[in-house]
Amino acid sequence: MTRRARRTALGALVGASFLLLGACDPETEKQFHHWAMPSNSPGTVQGQDIFELWKGAWIAALITGGITWALIFYASWRFRRRSDDEIPVQTRYNLPLEIFYTIAPIMMVIVFFAHTVRVQEAVLNETPAPDNCVQVVGQQWSWTFNYNESCDNDNGPVAYTAGTGSQIPTLVLEEGKTTEFKLSSPDVIHSFWITGFLMKMDIIPGQTGDDRNHFSVTPNKVGDYRGKCTELCGVYHSRMLFNVKVMDSADYDAYMAKLKADPEHVSDHPLLGGSHASTTAGLSADETETGGNK
């Protein structure tokens, strides 16, 4: 490549880079600084461990990729053909390199596995006495959130919010306090995911009581988050969205007091789906195959 061609290629590359960077909106820029994670993550104490694991994996991958590309370019330049009648030395076997390329990936997998297990234990570590409890119900095709005084006591009254196909429900959490989620489904497998918390878990039908999938989070910043189902659960899977609002203790207490004072949002027991599932808006009561009945 001539000097002029090299300069032209470099100028085109720089121009394209500025064009791509200029097209990034503020949200994309924040995600870039969060290593492609949501801009408001990590929103919990437990999510910080997940974020550090993700960041470490990116750094390790970039270092490995950089070394690999450097070796490829070095070998292609160092052992290139220098004349038409010359053939570079052909090396079929190189025992040290073969050992290196075998041992290095194994060591990397072991290190990744060890850090993954450590983070998994930290995220799934059960708090002996969580401050709040929410029994989450994923049903075709919306969510119900039951706010219990204790996860060990299902006696009422229980305040709850429920969504429909036309109304996205809101899950309210308290900043700085640990909330335990207990997950129930009356129909098929769903998956409970709050994007900014960097944690999700499957909701398995048939599980009851303490056998249900569950985990705890401790939100560490006031703000709004988004939630969704990440398991393809049927025709209207795309409707299974919910909002999450993390409040300080004063606002949280005021919200719960208002919710408990509304008879439309109080039940004698947690609503866990099935006969207690809210009717999906827009569907008639006899459309049992689409979850339209109660």
Side-chain angles (χ1 to χ4, degrees):
M1 182 181 292
T2 65
R3 179 177 299 179
R4 182 177 181 181
R6 287 198 298 268
R7 289 178 178 177
T8 302
L10 179 60
L13 179 62
V14 172
S17 300
F18 280 117
L19 180 62
L20 291 174
L21 291 175
C24 295
D25 59 18
E27 180 68 17
T28 303
E29 184 179 355
K30 290 179 181 179
Q31 292 181 3
F32 177 80
H33 290 294
H34 282 73
W35 298 83
M37 283 292 194
S39 60
N40 56 358
S41 64
T44 65
V45 174
Q46 295 80 1
Q48 184 65 40
D49 292 315
I50 300 175
F51 179 75
E52 293 299 330
L53 176 64
W54 173 260
K55 184 171 67 174
W58 262 109
I59 293 174
L62 291 173
I63 293 175
T64 303
I67 293 174
T68 302
W69 279 104
L71 290 174
I72 290 174
F73 286 123
Y74 170 76
S76 62
W77 175 83
R78 176 66 177 78
F79 302 104
R80 71 189 185 279
R81 175 179 291 184
R82 291 176 171 80
S83 62
D84 294 337
D85 59 351
E86 176 189 6
I87 297 179
V89 177
Q90 304 297 300
T91 303
R92 297 182 60 189
Y93 303 103
N94 188 307
L95 187 59
L97 276 179
E98 291 178 5
I99 294 176
F100 172 75
Y101 282 137
T102 301
I103 298 299
I106 293 176
M107 296 302 298
M108 291 178 64
V109 170
I110 292 175
V111 172
F112 274 124
F113 179 79
H115 283 290
T116 300
V117 171
R118 176 185 60 80
V119 172
Q120 178 178 291
E121 291 179 349
V123 170
L124 299 181
N125 182 35
E126 296 187 4
T127 304
D131 301 293
N132 301 306
C133 176
V134 179
Q135 297 195 56
V136 178
V137 181
Q139 61 201 35
Q140 294 175 315
W141 283 274
S142 192
W143 301 89
T144 300
F145 304 116
N146 300 276
Y147 298 91
N148 285 75
E149 295 293 337
S150 170
C151 283
D152 299 325
N153 183 9
D154 281 345
N155 296 327
V158 177
Y160 72 92
T161 57
T164 66
S166 59
Q167 179 181 356
I168 298 177
T170 298
L171 171 64
V172 177
L173 301 174
E174 186 176 5
E175 179 195 19
K177 297 297 181 68
T178 300
T179 298
E180 181 178 0
F181 297 122
K182 288 204 169 183
L183 311 178
S184 301
S185 169
D187 38 55
V188 299
I189 296 178
H190 301 280
S191 189
F192 179 70
W193 183 32
I194 301 174
T195 57
F197 290 4
L198 309 183
M199 172 66 182
K200 63 180 177 180
M201 183 174 286
D202 282 349
I203 309 176
I204 309 298
Q207 293 183 344
T208 59
D210 292 336
D211 293 332
R212 289 173 290 177
N213 282 358
H214 58 279
F215 67 98
S216 299
V217 298
T218 308
N220 55 13
K221 62 179 74 171
V222 173
D224 296 324
Y225 300 85
R226 295 290 181 266
K228 62 182 68 177
C229 173
T230 56
E231 187 76 28
L232 183 58
C233 55
V235 178
Y236 297 106
H237 163 70
S238 60
R239 292 185 180 182
M240 291 201 63
L241 307 173
F242 62 95
N243 298 317
V244 181
K245 183 177 288 292
V246 177
M247 301 179 174
D248 59 35
S249 295
D251 290 339
Y252 177 82
D253 291 340
Y255 172 83
M256 292 305 301
K258 181 179 179 180
L259 193 66
K260 292 177 180 179
D262 184 358
E264 296 294 326
H265 291 92
V266 177
S267 174
D268 293 334
H269 49 269
L271 305 185
L272 301 182
S275 60
H276 303 294
S278 297
T279 301
T280 302
L283 301 176
S284 60
D286 60 349
E287 292 182 284
T288 56
E289 74 277 4
T290 56
N293 67 324
K294 291 189 177 182

